Amino acid sequence: GMPQTLSSTSMFTPCGFSPHLHTSKEDEQGGLIFQDGNLTSASLDALIQHLIPTTDYYPEKAYIFTFLLSSRLFIEPHELLSRVCHKCIEQQRLDDPVLDKARIRKFGPKILQLLTEWTETFPYDFQEERMIGHLKDMIHRIAPCDEAYWKKMNQLLQTLNQKLATLSHGQEGIVKISAAVSDKLVAFKSKPPSIQREILSVCSDPYTLAQQLTHVELERLSHIGPEEFVQAFVHKDPLDGTKSCFSEQKKTSNLEAYVKWFNRLCYLVATEICMPAKKKQRAQVIEFFIDVARECFNIGNFNSLMAIISGMNMSPVSRLKKTWSKVKTAKFFILEHQMDPTGNFYNYRTALRGAAHRSLTAHSNREKIVIPFFSLLIKDIYFLNEGCANRLPNGHVNFEKFLELAKQVGEFITWKQVECPFEQDPNIIHYLHTAPIFTEDGLYLASYESESPENQTEKDRWKSLR
């Protein structure tokens, strides 16, 4: 079954995901099928109707998040907003030459609230001109009934613009860094000259490094939109005949950049360990990283923790037997045990639940930090997606699946909003992003130069590399 995660803030977490489809009778309301009080399936039209506020109805927060997150598998956001606006115009008779002001004053705050929630949770949807167009059109229609609506709209657009500016500024920074890094990757086929700075000369305190890694993680997480998890799985919708839902390229760049960062950290750790000429120094670097990893675990930064362990487990590092014999490995084995993949990462999932629980009852930002091992989170979401159909045989949207998806993505959103409590050290952060790293071949070369090949396979490999 799916890993059970603790529910996070009620805003994002639909309650009661029930896997038992057949236990009780189904109730139907306006094309929506309920099971034990939970919405389980419906036609796309019925789901869109359920999103639309009226004078006396407003959808639940959890429903709004779940539907806006998953609807993009069936309909593009601009198309969805267009349909929402058209239905509002029809239902509230916003085309009438004389508007029913009293009625629209009841409806206005609700539609504004819906648009605000959409822009706050899925700001990237509004990078599209068409989206802004629909938004403005809606406000123009209701504004004559209340001056305050203009002010509301300006606030909404201002906040949105700021958010998009911050996000794209962060993205540009990340892109610049990535470009600089990929050039450096090629530079080191063999052992670089010893003038290269190494991590211990930049930061010799493991606690500080763990905190700076947490900075980088939270900064990068903040750019990932919840929709990226779903867009990674956009296939053709079978009911849609020819065209795929998204003609443009998949909008998952922040998610991909984050996975690249994880890989960079693995290689950086391996590079730092293989570089020193003396066994004693290599052992010192290993012990340093073990302490960094342990502090990452205490902070709740599981992504950096996993990257450090993966770097130490790369074969160019793990083959350095003489070096490892000088290391106090007990602490390393404890950490490895925590991240052991056995039982679908049972130990890690237990630790993650503990951190998630601590986060819910936290008094300080420090206790709120939960940075999940990211590629496993993506894998869980991938299996959830592959394991259930988006549509049921009758053409209905399988809403039950999307409630579970929203639960996992919603929890992640709560975590990515944590403010980093540690002071930033630009020097260390710059080093983490720009220090040259070996390619895999470079790592093997450095490793064989540090401790010569032990068997024929290694000797052949060394020869071919040279």
Side-chain angles (χ1 to χ4, degrees), residues 312-351:
M312 290 180 162
N313 278 329
M314 286 175 81
S315 39
V317 178
S318 60
R319 68 169 290 282
L320 298 170
K321 308 270 190 300
K322 297 186 180 104
T323 304
W324 280 95
S325 70
K326 297 257 170 284
V327 174
K328 302 183 194 69
T329 48
K331 286 191 290 192
F332 181 60
F333 294 139
I334 291 170
L335 287 173
E336 256 199 326
H337 178 67
Q338 282 297 344
M339 302 310 273
D340 179 9
T342 318
N344 194 7
F345 287 91
Y346 179 81
N347 297 343
Y348 158 69
R349 291 182 192 281
T350 307

Coordinates of all heavy atoms in Angstrom, one line a residue, residues 312-351:
M312 N 29.3 9.0 0.1 CA 30.3 8.2 0.8 C 30.2 6.7 0.3 O 31.1 5.9 0.5 CB 30.0 8.2 2.3 CG 30.4 9.5 2.9 SD 30.0 9.4 4.7 CE 31.0 10.7 5.3
N313 N 29.0 6.4 -0.2 CA 28.8 5.0 -0.6 C 29.2 4.8 -2.1 O 29.1 3.7 -2.6 CB 27.4 4.5 -0.4 CG 27.2 4.1 1.0 OD1 28.1 3.6 1.6 ND2 26.0 4.3 1.5
M314 N 29.6 5.9 -2.8 CA 30.0 5.7 -4.2 C 31.3 4.8 -4.2 O 32.1 5.0 -3.4 CB 30.3 7.0 -4.9 CG 29.0 7.8 -5.2 SD 29.4 9.5 -5.8 CE 29.7 9.1 -7.5
S315 N 31.4 3.9 -5.2 CA 32.5 3.0 -5.1 C 33.9 3.6 -5.1 O 34.8 3.0 -4.4 CB 32.4 1.8 -6.1 OG 31.9 2.3 -7.3
P316 N 34.2 4.7 -5.8 CA 35.5 5.3 -5.6 C 35.9 5.6 -4.2 O 37.0 5.6 -3.8 CB 35.5 6.5 -6.5 CG 34.4 6.3 -7.5 CD 33.4 5.5 -6.8
V317 N 34.8 5.9 -3.4 CA 35.1 6.2 -2.0 C 35.1 5.0 -1.1 O 36.0 4.8 -0.3 CB 34.0 7.2 -1.4 CG1 34.2 7.5 0.0 CG2 34.0 8.5 -2.2
S318 N 34.1 4.1 -1.4 CA 34.0 2.9 -0.5 C 35.2 2.0 -0.7 O 35.4 1.2 0.2 CB 32.7 2.2 -0.7 OG 32.5 1.8 -2.0
R319 N 35.8 2.0 -1.8 CA 37.0 1.1 -2.0 C 38.2 1.5 -1.3 O 39.2 0.8 -1.2 CB 37.3 1.0 -3.5 CG 37.9 2.2 -4.2 CD 38.4 2.0 -5.6 NE 39.6 1.2 -5.6 CZ 40.8 1.7 -5.3 NH1 41.0 2.9 -5.0 NH2 41.9 0.8 -5.3
L320 N 38.2 2.7 -0.7 CA 39.4 3.2 0.0 C 39.6 2.6 1.4 O 39.4 3.2 2.4 CB 39.4 4.7 0.1 CG 39.3 5.5 -1.2 CD1 39.0 7.0 -0.9 CD2 40.6 5.4 -1.9
K321 N 39.9 1.2 1.4 CA 39.9 0.5 2.6 C 40.9 1.0 3.7 O 40.5 1.1 4.8 CB 40.3 -1.0 2.3 CG 39.5 -1.7 1.2 CD 38.3 -2.4 1.8 CE 37.7 -3.3 0.7 NZ 37.2 -2.6 -0.5
K322 N 42.1 1.4 3.2 CA 43.1 1.9 4.2 C 42.6 3.2 4.9 O 42.8 3.4 6.0 CB 44.4 2.1 3.5 CG 45.0 0.9 2.9 CD 46.4 1.2 2.3 CE 47.1 -0.1 1.8 NZ 47.1 0.0 0.3
T323 N 41.9 4.0 4.1 CA 41.4 5.3 4.6 C 40.3 5.0 5.6 O 40.3 5.5 6.7 CB 40.8 6.1 3.5 OG1 41.8 6.3 2.5 CG2 40.3 7.5 4.0
W324 N 39.4 4.1 5.2 CA 38.2 3.8 6.2 C 38.7 3.1 7.4 O 38.1 3.3 8.5 CB 37.2 2.9 5.4 CG 36.3 3.7 4.5 CD1 36.5 3.9 3.2 CD2 35.1 4.4 4.9 NE1 35.4 4.6 2.7 CE2 34.6 5.0 3.7 CE3 34.4 4.6 6.1 CZ2 33.4 5.7 3.7 CZ3 33.2 5.3 6.1 CH2 32.7 5.9 4.9
S325 N 39.9 2.4 7.4 CA 40.4 1.8 8.6 C 40.7 2.8 9.7 O 40.8 2.5 10.8 CB 41.5 0.9 8.3 OG 42.7 1.7 8.0
K326 N 41.0 4.0 9.3 CA 41.3 5.1 10.2 C 40.1 5.8 10.7 O 40.2 6.8 11.5 CB 42.3 6.1 9.5 CG 43.6 5.6 9.0 CD 44.7 6.0 10.0 CE 46.0 5.3 9.7 NZ 46.0 3.9 10.2
V327 N 38.9 5.5 10.2 CA 37.7 6.2 10.6 C 36.9 5.5 11.7 O 36.8 4.3 11.7 CB 36.8 6.3 9.3 CG1 35.5 7.0 9.7 CG2 37.5 7.1 8.2
K328 N 36.4 6.3 12.6 CA 35.5 5.7 13.6 C 34.2 5.5 12.9 O 33.4 6.5 12.7 CB 35.3 6.6 14.8 CG 36.6 7.0 15.5 CD 36.3 7.8 16.8 CE 37.6 8.5 17.3 NZ 38.2 9.5 16.4
T329 N 33.9 4.3 12.5 CA 32.7 4.1 11.6 C 31.4 3.9 12.3 O 30.3 3.9 11.7 CB 33.0 2.9 10.7 OG1 33.4 1.8 11.5 CG2 34.0 3.3 9.6
A330 N 31.4 3.7 13.7 CA 30.2 3.4 14.4 C 29.1 4.4 14.0 O 27.9 4.1 13.7 CB 30.4 3.4 15.9
K331 N 29.4 5.7 14.1 CA 28.4 6.8 13.8 C 27.9 6.7 12.4 O 26.7 6.9 12.1 CB 29.1 8.2 14.0 CG 29.3 8.5 15.4 CD 29.7 10.0 15.6 CE 31.1 10.3 15.1 NZ 31.6 11.7 15.5
F332 N 28.8 6.3 11.5 CA 28.4 6.2 10.1 C 27.3 5.1 9.9 O 26.3 5.2 9.2 CB 29.6 5.9 9.2 CG 29.2 5.8 7.7 CD1 28.6 6.9 7.0 CD2 29.5 4.7 7.0 CE1 28.3 6.8 5.7 CE2 29.1 4.6 5.6 CZ 28.5 5.7 5.0
F333 N 27.6 3.9 10.6 CA 26.7 2.8 10.4 C 25.3 3.1 11.0 O 24.3 2.7 10.5 CB 27.2 1.5 11.1 CG 28.5 1.0 10.4 CD1 29.6 0.6 11.1 CD2 28.6 1.1 9.0 CE1 30.7 0.1 10.5 CE2 29.7 0.6 8.4 CZ 30.8 0.1 9.1
I334 N 25.3 3.9 12.1 CA 24.0 4.4 12.6 C 23.2 5.2 11.6 O 22.0 4.9 11.4 CB 24.2 5.2 13.9 CG1 24.7 4.3 15.0 CG2 22.8 5.8 14.4 CD1 25.2 5.1 16.3
L335 N 23.9 6.1 10.9 CA 23.2 6.9 9.9 C 22.8 6.1 8.7 O 21.7 6.2 8.2 CB 24.2 8.0 9.4 CG 24.4 9.1 10.4 CD1 25.5 10.0 9.8 CD2 23.2 10.0 10.6
E336 N 23.6 5.2 8.3 CA 23.3 4.3 7.2 C 22.1 3.5 7.5 O 21.2 3.3 6.6 CB 24.5 3.3 6.9 CG 25.3 3.8 5.7 CD 26.1 2.6 5.2 OE1 26.5 1.8 6.0 OE2 26.3 2.5 4.0
H337 N 22.0 3.0 8.7 CA 20.9 2.2 9.2 C 19.6 3.0 9.1 O 18.5 2.6 8.6 CB 21.1 1.8 10.6 CG 20.0 1.0 11.2 ND1 19.6 -0.3 10.7 CD2 19.1 1.3 12.2 CE1 18.6 -0.7 11.4 NE2 18.3 0.2 12.3
Q338 N 19.7 4.3 9.4 CA 18.5 5.2 9.4 C 18.0 5.3 7.9 O 16.8 5.5 7.7 CB 18.9 6.6 9.8 CG 18.9 6.8 11.3 CD 17.6 6.5 12.0 OE1 16.5 6.5 11.4 NE2 17.6 6.3 13.3
M339 N 18.9 5.3 7.0 CA 18.5 5.5 5.6 C 18.5 4.2 4.8 O 18.5 4.3 3.5 CB 19.5 6.6 4.9 CG 19.5 7.9 5.6 SD 17.9 8.6 5.9 CE 17.6 9.5 4.4
D340 N 18.5 3.1 5.5 CA 18.5 1.8 4.8 C 17.2 1.6 4.0 O 16.1 1.8 4.5 CB 18.6 0.8 5.9 CG 18.6 -0.7 5.4 OD1 18.7 -0.8 4.2 OD2 18.5 -1.6 6.2
P341 N 17.4 1.2 2.7 CA 16.2 1.1 1.8 C 15.3 -0.1 2.1 O 14.2 -0.2 1.6 CB 16.8 1.0 0.4 CG 18.2 0.6 0.6 CD 18.6 1.1 2.0
T342 N 15.7 -1.0 3.0 CA 14.9 -2.2 3.4 C 13.5 -1.8 3.8 O 13.3 -0.8 4.5 CB 15.6 -3.0 4.5 OG1 17.0 -3.0 4.2 CG2 15.0 -4.4 4.5
G343 N 12.6 -2.7 3.4 CA 11.2 -2.4 3.8 C 10.6 -1.1 3.3 O 10.0 -0.4 4.1
N344 N 11.0 -0.8 2.1 CA 10.6 0.5 1.5 C 11.0 1.6 2.4 O 10.1 2.5 2.7 CB 9.0 0.4 1.2 CG 8.6 1.6 0.3 OD1 9.4 2.3 -0.2 ND2 7.3 1.8 0.2
F345 N 12.2 1.7 2.8 CA 12.8 2.7 3.6 C 12.0 2.9 4.9 O 11.7 4.0 5.4 CB 12.8 4.1 2.9 CG 13.8 4.2 1.8 CD1 13.5 3.8 0.5 CD2 15.1 4.6 2.0 CE1 14.5 3.9 -0.5 CE2 16.1 4.7 1.0 CZ 15.7 4.3 -0.3
Y346 N 11.7 1.7 5.6 CA 10.9 1.8 6.8 C 11.5 2.7 7.9 O 10.8 3.5 8.5 CB 10.8 0.3 7.3 CG 10.0 0.3 8.6 CD1 8.6 0.4 8.5 CD2 10.6 0.3 9.9 CE1 7.8 0.4 9.7 CE2 9.8 0.3 11.0 CZ 8.5 0.3 10.9 OH 7.7 0.4 12.1
N347 N 12.8 2.6 8.1 CA 13.5 3.4 9.2 C 13.4 4.9 8.9 O 13.1 5.7 9.7 CB 14.9 3.0 9.3 CG 15.1 1.6 9.8 OD1 14.2 1.0 10.3 ND2 16.3 1.0 9.6
Y348 N 13.7 5.2 7.6 CA 13.6 6.6 7.2 C 12.2 7.1 7.4 O 11.9 8.2 7.9 CB 14.1 6.8 5.8 CG 13.6 8.1 5.1 CD1 14.0 9.3 5.6 CD2 12.6 8.0 4.1 CE1 13.5 10.5 5.0 CE2 12.1 9.2 3.5 CZ 12.5 10.4 4.0 OH 12.0 11.6 3.4
R349 N 11.2 6.4 6.9 CA 9.8 6.8 7.0 C 9.4 7.1 8.4 O 8.6 8.0 8.7 CB 8.9 5.9 6.3 CG 9.1 5.8 4.8 CD 8.1 4.9 4.1 NE 8.4 4.6 2.7 CZ 8.1 5.4 1.7 NH1 7.5 6.6 1.9 NH2 8.4 5.1 0.4
T350 N 9.9 6.2 9.3 CA 9.6 6.4 10.7 C 10.2 7.7 11.3 O 9.5 8.5 11.9 CB 10.1 5.2 11.5 OG1 9.6 4.0 11.0 CG2 9.7 5.2 13.0
A351 N 11.4 7.9 10.9 CA 12.1 9.2 11.3 C 11.4 10.4 10.7 O 11.2 11.4 11.4 CB 13.6 9.1 10.8

